[in-house]
Amino acid sequence: MSGALKIELGRRYRFAASHRLHTPQLSEEENCRIYGKCSNPFGHGHNYVVEVSVSGEVDPATGMIANLADLDSFVERQIIEPFDHRYLNEELAAFRETVPTTENLCIEIFQRLKTFPKAQLERVRIEETGNNSFEYAEDHQEEPEGNRP
Amino acid sequence: MVLLTRKIEFSASHFYHNPNFSPEENRRVFGKCNNPHGHGHNYTLEVTVAGEPDPITGMVLDLKELKEILEREVMQRMDHRHLNYEVPELAGQIPTCENIAQVIWNLLEPKITQGKLHRVRLYETPDLFADCHRNGAKS
């Protein structure tokens, strides 16, 4: 046995959005070759599932790392409201210059969620379809034992 | 190193209530989960064991043995039970997903002697789960 026991809370959220994989840095032929159907100029959509994992001390008074109502309302405000039923390329500033692949979507969503005040964001995992999923995490300093609030 | 995962399901009831909170505070913090009559879930437990496959059997551990450990330690304790009243390991704790996962980790870790317990993931619903692992052992 080694290392302290670590508990994480995971929660899944859903939104539907459209996107187009295309970059002006490549020629039309290269865009078609690399992105295939995903480069269709009219765009297409997915039902995205966003799995959010947070960690922290389990509060003995509540048995919780973070109150789900707080996490849900934070994710609703930071992710669902701006992303649900949107065209990612046009309506999200982050994807004006960056291709909205699900890799880049993971990073953008991680940045928007890492300010969650009640727990440490560990990871964002996104299912673009039932068969494709992507994960993003950033290294963060583990707080020393016995030095947590 | 190879990771092996076995999944089991159990059904149990619970409610959230802290006797040190006022009734209003209990309702505010725990919402619907504070209903004193309790409510239930179909829990799904995923247990992941890490190890090297034995060169003769090709196994990290015998799945039959893992199944028996899970039956004895988890199913018999928690399946079709009221987690607030019938599971001594949870006494004095709010039976949240986080706390139940930790109790299951503590029950299983000493029993798994072939390979090493790597992760416990407990789903309370398909959209809510808790993960338990040792620091530095992330997959």
Side-chain angles (χ1 to χ4, degrees):
Chain A
M1 271 177 241
S2 62
L5 204 53
K6 185 166 183 180
I7 318 285
E8 295 178 8
L9 177 71
R11 181 87 157 140
R12 286 160 69 89
Y13 301 91
R14 288 167 182 78
F15 69 85
S18 58
H19 72 168
R20 179 197 184 197
L21 303 187
H22 180 273
T23 173
Q25 296 172 63
L26 296 174
S27 69
E28 283 310 307
E29 295 69 36
E30 279 173 312
N31 269 294
C32 280
R33 184 176 57 76
I34 292 171
Y35 297 123
K37 286 192 294 191
C38 299
S39 192
N40 171 1
F42 298 104
H44 63 280
H46 297 287
N47 295 321
Y48 290 95
V49 176
V50 181
E51 201 173 277
V52 177
S53 290
V54 300
S55 68
E57 292 291 298
V58 178
D59 181 346
T62 62
M64 298 171 180
I65 290 172
N67 197 305
L68 274 187
D70 293 335
L71 183 61
D72 287 354
S73 60
F74 187 76
V75 173
E76 176 69 30
R77 199 167 59 242
Q78 298 291 96
I79 307 300
I80 308 301
E81 280 174 18
F83 286 78
D84 190 32
H85 287 72
R86 302 283 185 179
Y87 181 39
L88 300 179
N89 301 58
E90 297 285 340
E91 297 187 83
L92 272 295
F95 299 119
R96 296 252 163 77
E97 309 287 326
T98 306
V99 188
T101 56
T102 307
E103 290 91 324
N104 283 331
L105 191 57
C106 275
I107 297 171
E108 174 62 18
I109 287 182
F110 190 98
Q111 299 309 328
R112 286 170 179 251
L113 293 182
K114 74 180 190 185
T115 53
F116 181 56
K118 314 274 181 167
Q120 171 77 49
L121 180 64
E122 286 289 333
R123 174 173 345 97
V124 166
R125 179 175 165 273
I126 301 181
E127 294 173 12
E128 182 183 76
T129 68
N131 295 327
N132 298 332
S133 70
F134 303 84
E135 259 182 65
Y136 180 71
E138 282 179 359
D139 286 335
H140 59 82
Q141 290 289 311
E142 299 286 356
E143 283 180 64
E145 288 301 300
N147 196 21
R148 291 176 177 149
Chain B
M1 189 179 75
V2 176
L3 300 179
L4 169 158
T5 299
R6 182 153 181 103
K7 185 156 84 169
I8 59 166
E9 291 181 7
F10 63 92
S11 303
S13 57
H14 72 173
F15 69 106
Y16 296 167
H17 180 83
N18 184 331
N20 300 319
F21 288 172
S22 68
E24 294 71 33
E25 211 175 354
N26 268 299
R27 275 195 294 276
R28 184 180 58 74
V29 173
F30 298 126
K32 285 193 292 192
C33 300
N34 185 231
N35 175 359
H37 300 290
H39 62 279
H41 296 286
N42 296 323
Y43 290 91
T44 300
L45 174 68
E46 287 175 5
V47 175
T48 302
V49 177
E52 296 297 336
D54 180 282
I56 296 168
T57 64
M59 297 173 178
V60 172
L61 86 168
D62 189 339
L63 270 182
K64 268 202 314 297
E65 193 191 325
L66 182 57
K67 186 180 172 186
E68 282 161 17
I69 294 171
L70 296 178
E71 172 65 31
R72 206 167 50 238
E73 300 298 328
V74 181
M75 295 301 276
Q76 288 182 15
R77 261 193 189 80
M78 300 187 183
D79 188 35
H80 287 72
R81 301 285 184 183
H82 194 303
L83 301 176
N84 296 66
Y85 303 127
E86 297 187 89
V87 180
E89 290 80 5
L90 279 165
Q93 297 187 55
I94 316 280
T96 56
C97 218
E98 293 96 315
N99 278 335
I100 304 166
Q102 199 165 347
V103 161
I104 291 175
W105 176 283
N106 289 331
L107 288 167
L108 295 181
E109 193 179 41
K111 305 289 179 195
I112 291 171
T113 51
Q114 282 177 281
K116 196 172 159 187
L117 185 58
H118 181 79
R119 191 181 76 172
V120 161
R121 173 173 283 193
L122 181 69
Y123 286 90
E124 184 178 281
T125 71
D127 289 333
L128 175 66
F129 56 90
D131 278 329
C132 207
H133 60 86
R134 290 215 174 270
N135 257 336
K138 224 183 272 184
S139 54

